[in-house]
Amino acid sequence: MSNSEELKVGEASSFISKLESNRVESRVLFKDRLVTLSENTGKEVGELTVTVERSTYSGRECYLVEASSNGVVDTVPVGTNITAYVSPSLTTLEHTQHEYVNMPGNTLTKKSVLMLEEDGGYSFNLTNTADGKESTVSQQFTPDEMASFISECANIVLQRLAVVLGMKTRMSFRALGVNNTIVPVTYALLESRTMTVQSVTLECVGVERTLEDEEPTTWQLYFLNDGHMYTRSQIDSPVYMKIKSLPENFLKDEDADWVFPDFGKGRLQWEDDLEMYSLFLDRKDELKEDHVSYMRRHPELKAILGDFLQFLLMRKPSDVIEFAADFFSSFSSTAQLKPAFAHSEFVNKSAIRTE
């Protein structure tokens, strides 16, 4: 192991040692919901939900981590569902992962179960199903092999803790590789970015995770300052994940070091905006043309309104509303019969000019 690798492992051990082995960090107990978007089209093709809750496992306080990713890739439904129990010091107690690819006429599935043994090692069982045939693989990992091991669900908690508690330098752990071998996994800080969500501009913390397998895989993630995931992308992947709106508990967080902007209720000066004023004129002309066209198709409308106005000026009623009700009810076949223009039997004498 090189000096730089030893340093990264040392930083990882130092970070883990700061976590209380018997206390769940309440600031990472929340749910993330992201949509999966196509890099090419920007359309939604799936979603990712991640939940971390307080739980117990064989009498031990721990995190219950659940993650579900479902979507469509090249018209083929795919998904991954993971459930795990993780100790406060990020030791994985039990980890179950189920993956599926629903190809036409052939559903491929992969289910793996990783369990902590009494001696500190792990048992690993993998079941593959393809073409209706099932195959199983079983492995044992020694405590030395699993030192500083971070499972997929422990990784979720680690990333949240890195944001909430603060990660200073690169850290290196161990993880399960593509071929079910133990490989290094490295975490590094990315340069922070300014993101905008619901018209709110926020500073986001970036973390890069690299699984140093035979063919390395790298993910880049950005988080809000309370640990909520903002975006997640895998290098060279045709999709990426992003939140659609600020989490409710983030909006209500009085300890957040940003303030929701108050724009007041000032008058909107839309006339000074050339684009908005142009849209206003276009809409005005559109409505005017529509109204003229309607009146052209219904010439009786002009005649009826002309008769009403002429009769109104002749009678000069004191109650124009009641007079209008009497006038137009005469056109209804269902209105109750009554004297026509009952409210204008007498001319409004006050409206008559005396010589």
Side-chain angles (χ1 to χ4, degrees):
M1 184 181 296
S2 65
N3 291 336
S4 62
E5 290 176 334
E6 289 180 355
L7 180 60
K8 287 185 286 186
V9 172
E11 289 294 338
S13 299
S14 176
F15 184 85
I16 295 298
S17 67
K18 295 177 182 177
L19 306 177
E20 294 188 28
S21 61
N22 61 349
R23 187 177 70 85
V24 167
E25 174 57 65
S26 61
R27 285 180 289 176
V28 301
L29 304 178
F30 52 80
K31 183 175 184 177
D32 272 332
R33 178 179 284 111
L34 294 83
V35 293
T36 305
L37 304 169
S38 168
E39 284 279 9
N40 296 325
T41 65
K43 294 183 178 179
E44 292 187 21
V45 294
E47 67 173 2
L48 167 70
T49 57
V50 180
T51 304
V52 180
E53 300 176 340
R54 189 190 307 272
S55 185
T56 57
Y57 182 87
S58 297
R60 299 173 60 178
E61 187 176 10
C62 64
Y63 299 103
L64 170 60
V65 185
E66 296 176 293
S68 176
S69 174
N70 300 282
V72 177
V73 177
D74 295 331
T75 71
V76 177
V78 298
T80 301
N81 299 292
I82 310 175
T83 301
Y85 294 91
V86 180
S87 77
S89 58
L90 303 187
T91 298
T92 298
L93 308 175
E94 181 180 319
H95 189 283
T96 303
Q97 182 166 325
H98 178 253
E99 303 172 56
Y100 68 86
V101 179
N102 286 340
M103 300 179 65
N106 183 24
T107 298
L108 308 178
T109 65
K110 180 190 292 185
K111 182 179 180 181
S112 62
V113 179
L114 183 71
M115 295 191 67
L116 177 66
E117 302 291 336
E118 292 184 1
D119 63 356
Y122 282 85
S123 62
F124 177 75
N125 295 285
L126 173 65
T127 302
N128 290 306
T129 303
D131 296 324
K133 299 179 180 179
E134 187 176 284
S135 62
T136 60
V137 175
S138 297
Q139 288 180 252
Q140 292 292 135
F141 297 105
T142 67
D144 289 340
E145 289 178 306
M146 302 300 277
S148 300
F149 174 75
I150 294 292
S151 65
E152 284 297 316
C153 282
N155 160 69
I156 292 170
V157 180
L158 173 62
Q159 290 171 340
R160 292 184 179 184
L161 289 170
V163 174
V164 172
L165 303 181
M167 183 177 75
K168 306 301 181 183
T169 58
R170 296 171 67 90
M171 299 188 297
S172 183
F173 296 87
R174 293 177 181 175
L176 201 61
V178 175
N179 296 320
N180 307 320
T181 57
I182 304 302
V183 298
V185 59
T186 302
Y187 295 82
L189 284 173
L190 295 172
E191 185 176 352
S192 61
R193 288 185 181 179
T194 300
M195 310 287 190
T196 301
V197 187
Q198 292 179 292
S199 302
V200 179
T201 301
L202 302 167
E203 194 79 10
C204 291
V205 180
V207 176
E208 183 176 80
R209 177 182 181 237
T210 301
L211 191 67
E212 299 174 7
D213 213 332
E214 294 179 3
E215 293 185 7
T217 306
T218 299
W219 295 265
Q220 292 185 338
L221 307 96
Y222 283 87
F223 298 85
L224 305 180
N225 61 2
D226 68 342
H228 278 286
M229 193 185 303
Y230 173 81
T231 183
R232 177 183 186 270
S233 60
Q234 179 180 329
I235 302 300
D236 297 328
S237 172
V239 299
Y240 67 100
M241 300 168 184
K242 184 179 180 180
I243 62 171
K244 295 183 71 172
S245 59
L246 284 173
E248 183 178 355
N249 56 338
F250 181 83
L251 291 171
K252 295 179 179 180
D253 186 2
E254 297 178 354
D255 297 326
D257 52 9
W258 63 275
V259 178
F260 203 94
D262 181 8
F263 298 106
K265 296 183 179 180
R267 181 176 178 272
L268 177 63
Q269 301 292 337
W270 61 269
E271 299 95 334
D272 298 333
D273 188 308
L274 293 179
E275 183 177 359
M276 292 187 69
Y277 189 65
S278 176
L279 290 172
F280 163 74
L281 293 178
D282 291 343
R283 181 58 176 162
K284 180 180 178 181
D285 291 340
E286 181 184 343
L287 289 173
K288 184 177 180 180
E289 182 179 349
D290 182 62
H291 296 164
V292 171
S293 175
Y294 179 81
M295 293 184 70
R296 191 181 296 119
R297 295 195 307 270
H298 298 277
E300 68 277 13
L301 176 61
K302 188 174 183 180
I304 292 173
L305 293 177
D307 288 346
F308 170 71
L309 185 59
Q310 183 181 30
F311 201 49
L312 176 70
L313 295 175
M314 288 175 58
R315 291 297 187 98
K316 297 181 176 62
S318 58
D319 192 331
V320 177
I321 302 300
E322 292 291 348
F323 176 80
D326 289 341
F327 181 86
F328 288 106
S329 66
S330 64
F331 294 93
S332 173
S333 60
T334 59
Q336 184 179 0
L337 293 177
K338 60 180 179 179
F341 317 120
H343 292 85
S344 60
E345 288 184 337
F346 302 97
V347 175
N348 182 1
K349 297 181 179 180
S350 64
I352 301 178
R353 186 178 65 182
T354 57
E355 299 296 339

